[in-house]
Amino acid sequence: MNFRLVFRYLGLLLAVLSGILAAIWLWSAGWRMFGNPSSPLVIAEQHAGWSFLICSLVGFLVSGSLWLWTRRSPPQFGRREALLLVGLSWILGAALAALPFLFWSFFSGRGASGHPFGSFIDCYFESMSGLTTTGSTVLSNIEDLPRSILLWRAMTQWLGGLGIVVLFVAVLPTLGVGGKKLFRVEAPGPDPEGVRPQIRETARVLWIIYLGLTLAEILALRIIGGMNWFDSVCHTFTTLSTGGFSTLNASIGGYNTAVQIIVIVFMIAAGVNFALYFALLRRRVTGVYKDSELRFYLFLIFFSTFIIVITLMAAGNPIVLTRVTETGAYEEVPATFGNSLLHGMFGALTAQTTTGYCTADFNQWPFLAKAVMLTLMFAGGCAGSTGGGIKVIRVWVAIRVLISELERVFRPQVVRPLKIGSAALDSDMKLATITYVFGIVALFAVGSVLIMTLEQWLNPAAGIDYTTAATASIATLCNIGPGLGGVGAVENYGWLCAESKIIMCLLMALGRLEVFAIIVFFSPRFWRGD
Amino acid sequence: MNFRLVFRYLGLLLAVLSGILAAIWLWSAGWRMFGNPSSPLVIAEQHAGWSFLICSLVGFLVSGSLWLWTRRSPPQFGRREALLLVGLSWILGAALAALPFLFWSFFSGRGASGHPFGSFIDCYFESMSGLTTTGSTVLSNIEDLPRSILLWRAMTQWLGGLGIVVLFVAVLPTLGVGGKKLFRVEAPGPDPEGVRPQIRETARVLWIIYLGLTLAEILALRIIGGMNWFDSVCHTFTTLSTGGFSTLNASIGGYNTAVQIIVIVFMIAAGVNFALYFALLRRRVTGVYKDSELRFYLFLIFFSTFIIVITLMAAGNPIVLTRVTETGAYEEVPATFGNSLLHGMFGALTAQTTTGYCTADFNQWPFLAKAVMLTLMFAGGCAGSTGGGIKVIRVWVAIRVLISELERVFRPQVVRPLKIGSAALDSDMKLATITYVFGIVALFAVGSVLIMTLEQWLNPAAGIDYTTAATASIATLCNIGPGLGGVGAVENYGWLCAESKIIMCLLMALGRLEVFAIIVFFSPRFWRGD
């Protein structure tokens, strides 16, 4: 294993993160200087500023040392090195990204006790949740936080969503090493028609697409939605990365209907394979129009919205929003067709694209609506999107394989090729896909049992129920954010014990990196290299 | 599709069932004639006797008509015909087997209202549960039933367990048609080393083995366990078929420790691939000793027993038995090592072999013990045993495939053949296995959502919770019997609405016939035959 080169690239990643931390410090210092010193926002900002400055310096120091150590690394870069680099990027990247939270809680003098960022594991949970675009939070009162901390939370998701890795896919090829393999690891899902040739050029185009969408959503939220600039930027960062961190406790439920509709549109856009935008730019419109995954993705969205709307209207109960009224109670709206459509579609999309925003407390929805949402959570976004979960194309392949295996029972002589675009899937590819789907379900089950057992053992006072443990497992593994029960739309993850949070950090990394890049760490053969 | 020949064999099956019904009528009539006429057992028996006589006549009439209609059927018997025959055997067999319950409830004058066998669907549920060796019951007070009805319940399981189909595998080859294909459908699980050549001879030997085990358990229960003859026969029928119907409300918990240990031994025996007994008879001991499935099966039993014992002892709560004391409360014993081992091992085995007997109310056990039991329920018995579930060999293959797919990420050039015995599994076989495992998990999920939704919609007063719906789905799909919550060890399925019972009948048939033989009925291509 060529550890040196791996750490060289890790150093580069830390340098980029440190640069962004420094930029946030500059921004924070700037508006504190010119802001009204008695404004509560400016007061809250003071300690946060110091935290960013120190973290940035720590980051530069570490990356500088790594650079000195690894200057003369041999150029061999194989599959093993690529896997190690990807895995460590998230594990160590989250550690650096957690520091601003931790230092801020120290500097603000609130101390360890009672503060949500009082312990490193809580901060690490939050930053891992950010970089993996999960959106689970340990915070109970988000609105309490300094602006720079909120911006950093949103930024981790934007970076995590497509940023860091596409950046590395764009940078690595210029060094002439391993980029192709990295992209193989990172490009989510099987994608034979994909964007492999000329990875560097492709990554550049993907960045432009991502930036373009970012700009478009910021402007839409600011101009059509009437959001302020800060909220527009933060929510754009967390929509396009399908992350789901918000700056309000009520999440998107705290904004008007126009904002909710804009977010719906951009959630749909974020869940689409970015290679399709690439194809559109090259005017290959028929390929996009005929894309099986896109069609199945849109079908899932509209079909599940339909079921949820029917269920909400049939139940007839008022829909409880996440917005709190002046009396301190959650606001309720009647389950008219309009309300059911808006919140039902929002719920379906937030589940399927694994964004995890909320407008309504879906924990109180009828069972069938919740079951549909959980199914969508497993399915996730398209391959090559920023969405998590199993990925639509894999679900599509799994269903097709199920049907063809069924047909083989009574027609063993018939062979029906399974195609994605123009490429036929061979037996090995089908096996890999079905195994992946099965593996995710198994990981979900193991995760839920571990969380349940750890909580019952170490945190019995909280009285966890299995719905909470199971949905905490899927919400972290599929990078969604909120679950049901004790981790529902209007709850948070702060009350869970540190040991379960470690398990959930692992689940988030496993889910985001499509399992393999993390699980190889546990394989002795990987390290032995035989 | 050669419908005539299919119905010819179905007629044969109905004739066999009718013969058994007639035999039970004779037995019932005999002991009523010589019994004490004022004994409550004899009084209860009167209506039941008539019921068996009439059902037997109805059965003979139907099978006679079928014989007349199908005398001159063409001899073509292909895969499609085999599938149709197997599927219809269970669907129509259960209908005939349900009639004694229905007629008895009419004749006993207890009428439809309030009687557990008052509706056809309840009776069909019970007989399908019997023939599929599931062991779920709609009865709340089993001890209330006439002896002949209890014997018939046990008999359906014994027949279902290995009987009917092995009989047909033995009979069909004499007719020179389709036997091999049928055995392919029926022999549970992939079994390349299996018993295919000379199927007729093999089936004969299997019958002898089954009868030998039956005799051995009857004698063990009678002589060592001190059970009466009737209970010994009934419980032997339902142990070896891994069915789990009992003659006591307290199930095996109503008997002494010796009986419980004997049942443990024979549950282990029933969960083993019967081809191994066959090999033992031919003195191929090394093959048995080295059998991967057997080893993994025994490992699962002992490892899960170990975890359950630890969990029960660590929790320290008394173990609640299914036996009721004189005060009307369930008996409790302290969680000593001995008690934990006995009831923990019994629980692990009843789950893994999918028998479904109870000695303790495992619904009250700690979460981890229940999670282990649920995992075992999915795994099930060995292929070629009477146990249900996914089958140990498939779980073993699935785990091996998961590991090798993981290894392929960083060592794509290494090919490691996966062998069962001396036969290597090819890619297609692996794909079929993993797809099957995934399909069962998907069916379980769909089943649980259907049951939950139907109950909430049509039976809201019962207030079902998701644990109940989920475990009812797995308990029927994997042919276990009891689940957790409202269908737990000391509960029954009588309170569920008729619509959910229909779903559960379907799940039982799907699980028992390894999905394909039932699900092809829903495929238009199967009927079109193109």
Side-chain angles (χ1 to χ4, degrees), chain B residues 190-194 273 276 284 286-295 393 396-397 400 417-425:
Chain B
D191 195 35
E193 262 207 326
N273 189 341
L276 293 186
R284 291 199 312 238
T286 42
V288 174
Y289 173 72
K290 286 187 179 168
D291 187 75
S292 324
E293 187 181 28
L294 181 66
R295 288 180 171 203
I393 187 73
W396 184 80
V397 169
R400 294 287 300 266
L418 176 53
K419 285 188 175 182
I420 297 183
S422 55
L425 282 185

Side-chain angles (χ1 to χ4, degrees), chain A residues 86-96 124 128 506 509 513 517-518 521:
Chain A
V86 172
L88 286 181
S89 294
W90 296 84
I91 292 169
L92 297 184
L96 179 60
Y124 191 76
M128 184 58 102
L506 196 61
L513 301 177
I518 295 295
F521 287 107

Side-chain angles (χ1 to χ4, degrees), chain B residues 262-414:
Chain B
I262 293 168
V263 169
I264 284 179
V265 171
F266 282 93
M267 282 200 288
I268 297 180
V272 170
N273 189 341
F274 275 60
L276 293 186
Y277 297 122
F278 193 80
L280 273 187
L281 283 182
R282 292 189 173 177
R283 310 212 177 156
R284 291 199 312 238
V285 182
T286 42
V288 174
Y289 173 72
K290 286 187 179 168
D291 187 75
S292 324
E293 187 181 28
L294 181 66
R295 288 180 171 203
F296 190 51
Y297 170 68
L298 294 175
F299 166 76
L300 280 179
I301 291 174
F302 291 106
F303 182 68
S304 50
T305 301
F306 174 74
I307 293 182
I308 295 176
V309 170
I310 296 280
T311 320
L312 287 177
M313 290 177 71
N317 303 323
I319 299 173
V320 180
L321 303 185
T322 52
R323 183 163 47 200
V324 176
T325 60
E326 284 173 9
T327 62
Y330 288 106
E331 200 177 323
E332 294 185 359
V333 292
T336 59
F337 177 71
N339 286 332
S340 303
L341 184 64
L342 177 65
H343 299 294
M345 189 160 199
F346 198 96
L349 273 167
T350 206
Q352 187 174 1
T353 64
T354 70
T355 306
Y357 283 144
C358 315
T359 59
D361 185 5
F362 41 73
N363 199 28
Q364 300 185 34
W365 288 2
F367 171 78
L368 190 58
K370 290 195 275 191
V372 168
M373 283 183 69
L374 279 174
T375 311
L376 291 176
M377 286 181 182
F378 273 109
C382 296
S385 76
T386 60
I390 286 170
K391 306 290 178 303
V392 173
I393 187 73
R394 286 210 186 89
V395 176
W396 184 80
V397 169
I399 292 173
R400 294 287 300 266
V401 170
L402 267 179
I403 293 172
S404 74
E405 285 294 315
L406 162 67
E407 198 180 348
R408 264 196 2 191
V409 178
F410 59 95
R411 298 207 296 180
Q413 69 286 359
V414 176

Side-chain angles (χ1 to χ4, degrees), chain A residues 7-18:
Chain A
F7 277 94
R8 184 186 171 129
Y9 292 134
L10 278 175
L12 218 61
L13 162 69
L14 292 184
V16 170
L17 284 180
S18 306

